[in-house]
Amino acid sequence: MTTSTNSGKHREQIMHIVFTLSALTAIVAVGLICVFLFAGGVPAMLEIGVLKFLLGKDWSPTDTPASFEIFPMIIASIYVTTGAILFGVPIGIFTAAFMAKICPKRLYAFLKPTISLLAGIPSVVYGFFGMVVLVPLVRTWFGGNGSSMLTASLLLGIMILPTVIGIAETSLRAVPEELYEGAVALGASHERAVFFIVIPAAKSGVMAAVVLGIGRAIGETMAVKMVAGNQALLRMPKEFLKGLRTLTANVVIEMGYAEGLHRDALVATGVVLFVFILLINLVFSLLNRRSAL
Amino acid sequence: MKQLSKKKPFDLFLCVFTWLCAGTTFLVLVFIISHIITRGLPYLKPSIFALKYNSENVSLFPALISTFILVVLSLLIAVPIGVFSAIYLVEYAKRGSRLVKVVRVTAETLSGIPSIVYGLFGMLFFVIRLEWGMSILSGAFTLSIMILPLIMRTTEESLKAVPDSYREGAFGLGAGKLRTVFYIVLPSASPGILAGIILSVGRIVGETAALLYTAGSIARIPTTPMASARTLAIHMYALSSEGLYTGQAYATAVVLLAMVIGINLLSEYLANKIVK
């Protein structure tokens, strides 16, 4: 009897340690990712010159002397993300309002799985769809060769919809029913109560949805690469029918054959992207904390 | 209709616009799926499931098998770690402990990292530093880090949903903590945990950017874990960027979509099961 309880105690202790170690894995993983990315990218940045790398306009890795400057890609990422937000956020928020407050229950049971399916479609399928449908569409309607800032923004706008809808809907549902009822009791119509009382009350949750959408859009790689044209040139917003290359596309296009400083410069591109994402995550968790209060 | 005509113009506009937006979202999905299925189905011939890939049959079968192997390997790594960390967070950690906060923050960070950054890290760490080369193993480890936060979060939520009375009952009958966790709590939480696992299968099946430079893109059934192989998503990417096999790319997209739809339905079904 004593031996069995003893071994039981041992087992408890061992498993307690195993559980704790497992919980530490996430921390170790983030640590490793930071260490390896920064160790791979920062020396290259220093060698090229941090300001030159970040703010120079010339990316020509195969020239002699080669030039590694990623300002056009940073701007391109910002353009297509802004475009995606312009397309995706209004539709996303209205759809979220529809799902949370307007949609008949029967329709909801059907619509909800549809939205999560939209989130489940692989980005390479989106990219392919963009290539065979959106690119020709933009070419015939707007001119240019179709692989452009506009096409990438449109496609990303579709891709961030489920993210924006999901989080915005949750935060709209979290608004206390009294606010809505109060507005209706004071004579507001259903629509007015939803759009002028409930949505403003869920402000920080809706903002969090937008921020997460930004994170999705800026980090998307394959779909953007397949429709954006990928010229590493600095574009102006009015050149929205011309091609451009985002940070993510830059990494995925050239990593296959890059060597030496070129490869390290691509890792450094990844570092810049990573820092962007960390900032976005920070803003997101701050907003979440505020909506939790 | 009578209701609609009673509304003030502005309210009517808001109402119609909301319906329009929701309709757009829905139609976009329907359009993507129907477009791909109608174009892809004619190419789903038996030759596309041939055992070996060559440029004549453009078979997706090796990619299908590689996807399956990669899913199994990644789950073998990520599921125990993810479930165990969730057990720690819910059952063992003291309330408000600092470690729990740090684990939560890092898991959140992991879930926000884009797949191309995982790909870069996997290449730098598994492929180069650990010298595993472009291999299924490198790909599986990279993806298991990627799906870890998803498994942790869904497991945590389903463990929290198990009523405390179950645990108290088990303790009351003399069960130890470990026994309670494994024989009482985990079984009651299993539909939710499974739903999370199935969702992460979906992420693995659809992943491209994180695999391109970790698992590589060789179109052969891998014989060892150290062999490079392409998954279905990579296969599709390769076909569509070569531009020669658009029809076969459609067919691959159909198979991918069918898998994703199946996965979503299954996880939906399991998630509904816990609510009841």
Side-chain angles (χ1 to χ4, degrees):
Chain A
M1 196 61 207
T2 34
T3 47
S4 82
T5 40
N6 253 348
S7 77
K9 225 175 206 170
H10 276 298
R11 208 180 301 147
E12 295 270 350
Q13 279 167 346
I14 290 169
M15 284 316 280
H16 193 153
I17 294 171
V18 169
F19 292 147
T20 317
L21 286 180
S22 301
L24 294 177
T25 315
I27 304 177
V28 175
V30 170
L32 276 178
I33 291 175
C34 287
V35 167
F36 272 82
L37 276 185
F38 284 100
V42 172
M45 264 194 229
L46 293 176
E47 193 178 329
I48 298 161
V50 177
L51 281 181
K52 196 164 171 297
F53 178 71
L54 292 176
L55 298 176
K57 294 176 190 134
D58 180 25
W59 176 269
S60 23
T62 48
D63 289 9
T64 33
S67 170
F68 304 104
E69 301 165 354
I70 61 163
F71 191 62
M73 280 74 115
I74 296 180
I75 295 297
S77 281
I78 293 174
Y79 283 157
V80 293
T81 304
T82 315
I85 295 304
L86 288 180
F87 288 123
V89 164
I91 296 185
I93 290 178
F94 273 91
T95 308
F98 179 80
M99 308 258 301
K101 297 287 166 190
I102 294 171
C103 183
K105 233 185 185 150
R106 270 236 184 100
L107 189 59
Y108 183 81
F110 174 69
L111 210 54
K112 184 77 186 164
T114 317
I115 305 280
S116 58
L117 183 58
L118 203 56
I121 295 180
S123 57
V124 61
V125 174
Y126 276 114
F128 182 69
F129 171 78
M131 253 169 71
V132 294
V133 175
L134 290 182
V135 168
L137 206 72
V138 169
R139 191 190 303 139
T140 44
W141 284 9
F142 300 96
N145 73 359
S147 297
S148 64
M149 193 194 300
L150 178 67
T151 323
S153 304
L154 260 175
L155 187 61
L156 281 177
I158 296 174
M159 292 179 73
I160 64 170
L161 274 177
T163 312
V164 175
I165 294 172
I167 298 182
E169 193 203 331
T170 316
S171 65
L172 288 179
R173 285 188 186 277
V175 173
E177 199 61 16
E178 290 86 29
L179 288 179
Y180 171 80
E181 281 164 6
V184 173
L186 289 172
S189 66
H190 177 66
E191 286 80 14
R192 241 165 225 275
V194 169
F195 284 96
F196 293 93
I197 303 296
V198 177
I199 292 185
K203 200 171 53 195
S204 46
V206 172
M207 281 303 292
V210 175
V211 171
L212 207 65
I214 294 176
R216 281 287 315 262
I218 209 167
E220 180 48 50
T221 313
M222 305 318 282
V224 172
K225 191 239 149 187
M226 288 161 91
V227 300
N230 303 320
Q231 294 92 330
L233 299 170
L234 187 59
R235 301 290 191 195
M236 292 289 124
K238 65 172 185 232
E239 298 175 289
F240 61 87
L241 291 175
K242 292 192 175 149
L244 36 58
R245 181 190 287 194
T246 61
L247 290 168
T248 51
N250 195 37
V251 177
V252 88
I253 289 167
E254 297 186 2
M255 198 42 118
Y257 59 87
E259 275 169 2
L261 185 60
H262 183 193
R263 204 199 74 185
D264 295 345
L266 292 178
V267 177
T269 313
V271 170
V272 173
L273 179 69
F274 188 54
V275 171
F276 268 118
I277 292 289
L278 288 182
L279 288 176
I280 290 167
N281 274 0
L282 190 70
V283 175
F284 176 69
S285 57
L286 287 179
L287 282 169
N288 254 352
R289 204 162 296 161
R290 255 177 66 190
S291 66
L293 284 179
Chain B
M1 278 301 108
K2 205 174 144 199
Q3 261 189 328
L4 276 184
S5 57
K6 252 195 229 160
K7 287 187 197 288
K8 288 181 188 155
F10 183 66
D11 292 345
L12 186 68
F13 166 75
L14 277 179
C15 182
V16 170
F17 193 71
T18 320
W19 275 88
L20 270 181
C21 284
T24 313
T25 309
F26 179 66
L27 284 181
V28 164
L29 178 81
V30 171
F31 181 64
I32 294 178
I33 292 182
S34 61
H35 176 87
I36 284 176
I37 289 180
T38 49
R39 299 289 176 92
L41 272 184
Y43 287 91
L44 273 182
K45 289 173 290 203
S47 70
I48 211 168
F49 294 102
L51 220 49
K52 276 207 167 107
Y53 168 92
N54 56 45
S55 54
E56 203 142 306
N57 60 22
V58 204
S59 167
L60 56 76
F61 189 72
L64 198 62
I65 299 296
S66 310
T67 310
F68 182 73
I69 297 174
L70 195 77
V71 165
V72 172
L73 271 179
S74 312
L75 290 184
L76 276 180
I77 303 162
V79 169
I81 297 179
V83 171
F84 283 175
S85 16
I87 290 176
Y88 175 80
L89 292 178
V90 178
E91 309 288 334
Y92 281 83
K94 291 187 187 77
R95 284 242 159 117
S97 104
R98 180 166 289 171
L99 181 64
V100 172
K101 272 183 202 151
V102 178
V103 172
R104 288 240 164 79
V105 169
T106 45
E108 244 171 67
T109 311
L110 278 182
S111 64
I113 294 177
S115 52
I116 182 70
V117 173
Y118 279 112
L120 267 180
F121 165 72
M123 189 195 77
L124 292 171
F125 185 62
F126 299 117
V127 175
I128 298 174
R129 176 52 68 91
L130 297 184
E131 296 179 356
W132 291 352
M134 296 251 209
S135 59
I136 285 269
L137 201 63
S138 305
F141 268 90
T142 310
L143 289 194
S144 57
I145 301 178
M146 202 177 87
I147 59 172
L148 184 65
L150 184 61
I151 293 178
M152 276 172 73
R153 207 192 57 233
T154 45
T155 309
E156 213 186 318
E157 273 161 19
S158 14
L159 288 180
K160 275 186 190 157
V162 175
D164 269 339
S165 54
Y166 285 27
R167 299 183 180 90
E168 284 152 12
F171 290 146
L173 291 171
K177 184 144 201 173
L178 201 60
R179 194 171 269 270
T180 310
V181 167
F182 276 104
Y183 288 87
I184 305 295
V185 180
L186 271 186
S188 346
S190 58
I193 300 175
L194 258 178
I197 293 173
I198 288 166
L199 274 185
S200 40
V201 172
R203 296 258 334 243
I204 299 172
V205 166
E207 189 49 57
T208 326
L211 286 175
L212 211 48
Y213 299 119
T214 54
S217 54
I218 292 182
R220 225 184 4 228
I221 298 177
T223 44
T224 72
M226 304 312 277
S228 160
R230 59 161 70 159
T231 64
L232 264 188
I234 299 231
H235 181 67
M236 190 186 156
Y237 172 68
L239 291 186
S240 54
S241 51
E242 280 163 17
L244 294 170
Y245 306 110
T246 312
Q248 283 82 353
Y250 270 115
T252 315
V254 172
V255 176
L256 266 177
L257 274 183
M259 288 171 90
V260 167
I261 292 173
I263 285 166
N264 265 48
L265 287 178
L266 199 58
S267 100
E268 198 85 16
Y269 167 76
L270 286 167
N272 283 338
K273 228 175 168 181
I274 20 176
V275 179
K276 280 163 201 165

